Amino acid sequence: MPPDPTLAPALYEMAKTARSTGDLKMAKALYLDASDADPKMAAPRLDLAEMLMEQGTSLDLAATALQEAESLNPEVPRFFKLQGNLAELLGQDKRAEVAYARAVDLDPKDVDMRMRYGLVLMRVGRNEPAITELEIVRDLRPQDGQS
């Protein structure tokens, strides 16, 4: 039986519910089912990648999910944020830098993203731009003494 795209939204909602209740095995299966049901739906792939990265498992599957999502909706800040997160987990700071730079371009008010971007810039030895990013973080969150 061919995949039914009309089922994808329900499968996706079930996956989110399973994840929120801690049933990560079920969530993974449902995210994959939703992705199979509607190959044009990026959200289940992004959520799957995010969940796998949070667990620190199946990073190859997370990478595949992000690759599939890339062709569907490449100008979403969340995609680039997740791409940067995965690159960091894999120790690929230059790739993380490029991804985070794009995420910051798309959503310049995302303070947490700017913080991650600034820290990656420091790790790759680009201290001047790193300082600039971290100063922006400080200015965007002046009440947060941790910035």
Side-chain angles (χ1 to χ4, degrees), residues 96-111:
E97 176 189 353
V98 171
Y100 289 154
R102 186 67 186 128
V104 166
D105 285 345
L106 292 170
D107 187 3
K109 294 193 184 297
D110 184 335
V111 177

Side-chain angles (χ1 to χ4, degrees), residues 14-34:
M14 290 168 54
K16 292 191 308 186
T17 299
R19 182 179 177 189
S20 72
T21 61
D23 191 346
L24 303 182
K25 184 176 180 179
M26 178 61 72
K28 179 180 175 181
L30 289 165
Y31 283 135
L32 290 169
D33 287 347

Side-chain angles (χ1 to χ4, degrees), residues 1 21 27 40 42 47 51 63 88 90 102-103 106 123 146:
M1 183 162 94
T21 61
K40 295 180 181 177
D47 285 8
M51 183 182 77
E88 276 194 280
L90 297 173
R102 186 67 186 128
L106 292 170
R123 280 200 307 270
Q146 297 175 4

Side-chain angles (χ1 to χ4, degrees), residues 77-95:
R78 182 175 178 226
F79 165 75
F80 292 101
K81 181 177 184 176
L82 291 172
Q83 196 177 49
N85 293 351
L86 180 61
E88 276 194 280
L89 286 172
L90 297 173
Q92 301 169 346
D93 286 339
K94 282 295 206 183
R95 284 186 59 210

